[in-house]
């Protein structure tokens, strides 16, 4: 709810690959939605890769929340990816990941990012939300699920 979501920042057709490719695809979603300048893509990817190397952001219940502070954005920005078949995101519970929320924020928004992460985790801890997102047929439908909760 702290992010301005639009259907342009949802991708419901991610194929199972490795987590690094999925992170790059979600950054591309943000570039294509004009949330990030294409010239800043590599800087953002580096910040996300560095964060992910320290500890996997794959949590439980098929959810991963790769995130990083990077001043290529001036506000909290997110992209949602849905991988119907699941992928290995090195999740804490060892299970395949289906829902990936990529979250980027400026260095000045560290407190806000903690609140946003907590809200995303709370939202995706709800089994019915996860189930509905995994079977949604469009970016618009995924956005409606997120915004209704």
């Amino acid at each position: 709810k702290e992010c301005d979501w639009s259907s342009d920042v949802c991708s419901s057709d991610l194929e199972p690959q490795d987590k690094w490719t999925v992170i790059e695809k979600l950054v591309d979603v943000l570039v294509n939605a004009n949330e990030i300048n294409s010239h800043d893509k590599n800087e953002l990817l580096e910040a996300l890769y560095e964060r992910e190397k320290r500890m996997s952001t794959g949590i439980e219940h098929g959810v991963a929340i790769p995130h990083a502070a990077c001043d290529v954005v001036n506000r909290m920005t997110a992209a949602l990816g849905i991988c119907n078949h699941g992928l290995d995101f090195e999740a804490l519970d060892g299970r395949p990941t289906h829902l990936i929320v990529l979250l980027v924020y400026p260095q000045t928004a560290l407190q806000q990012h903690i609140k946003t992460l907590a809200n995303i985790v709370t939202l995706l801890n709800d089994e019915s939300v996860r189930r509905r997102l995994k079977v949604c047929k469009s970016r618009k439908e995924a956005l409606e699920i997120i915004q209704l909760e």
Side-chain angles (χ1 to χ4, degrees):
K1 296 184 183 189
E2 292 83 13
C3 294
D4 292 328
W5 292 89
S6 75
S7 62
D8 293 336
V9 295
C10 297
S11 179
S12 59
D13 57 357
L14 292 177
E15 292 299 319
Q17 299 173 0
D18 63 71
K19 69 179 183 176
W20 308 110
T21 303
V22 168
I23 289 171
E24 185 168 354
K25 281 186 172 189
L26 289 174
V27 169
D28 286 339
V29 167
L30 292 176
V31 169
N32 292 336
N34 296 314
E35 295 290 333
I36 295 169
N37 187 310
S38 62
H39 300 292
D40 296 326
K41 176 182 173 179
N42 288 337
E43 183 178 344
L44 177 57
L45 283 171
E46 184 64 30
L48 289 160
Y49 292 158
E50 287 303 313
R51 168 58 187 90
E52 194 66 31
K53 286 180 199 172
R54 286 195 306 270
M55 182 178 172
S56 177
T57 55
I59 52 177
E60 299 177 304
H61 310 298
V63 175
I65 310 172
H67 58 278
C70 189
D71 287 327
V72 302
V73 295
N74 57 17
R75 63 186 174 85
M76 191 75 59
T77 306
L80 169 68
I82 301 168
C83 183
N84 295 319
H85 301 290
L87 70 128
D88 181 6
F89 216 91
E90 300 171 4
L92 295 176
D93 64 2
R95 295 170 51 193
T97 297
H98 298 275
L99 303 172
I100 304 98
V101 178
L102 180 100
L103 182 65
V104 294
Y105 45 91
Q107 297 284 347
T108 58
L110 293 177
Q111 293 298 325
Q112 181 187 5
H113 115 272
I114 293 169
K115 181 179 177 185
T116 302
L117 277 175
N119 287 338
I120 291 168
V121 169
T122 299
L123 173 70
L124 296 178
N125 267 338
D126 184 327
E127 184 180 349
S128 72
V129 170
R130 291 192 313 270
R131 187 175 51 251
R132 287 182 288 150
L133 282 171
K134 282 195 271 187
V135 298
C136 70
K137 301 293 184 219
S138 69
R139 296 186 292 186
K140 183 177 185 274
E141 185 180 349
L143 180 63
E144 288 171 358
I145 293 167
I146 291 170
Q147 290 179 333
L148 287 175
E149 295 301 320

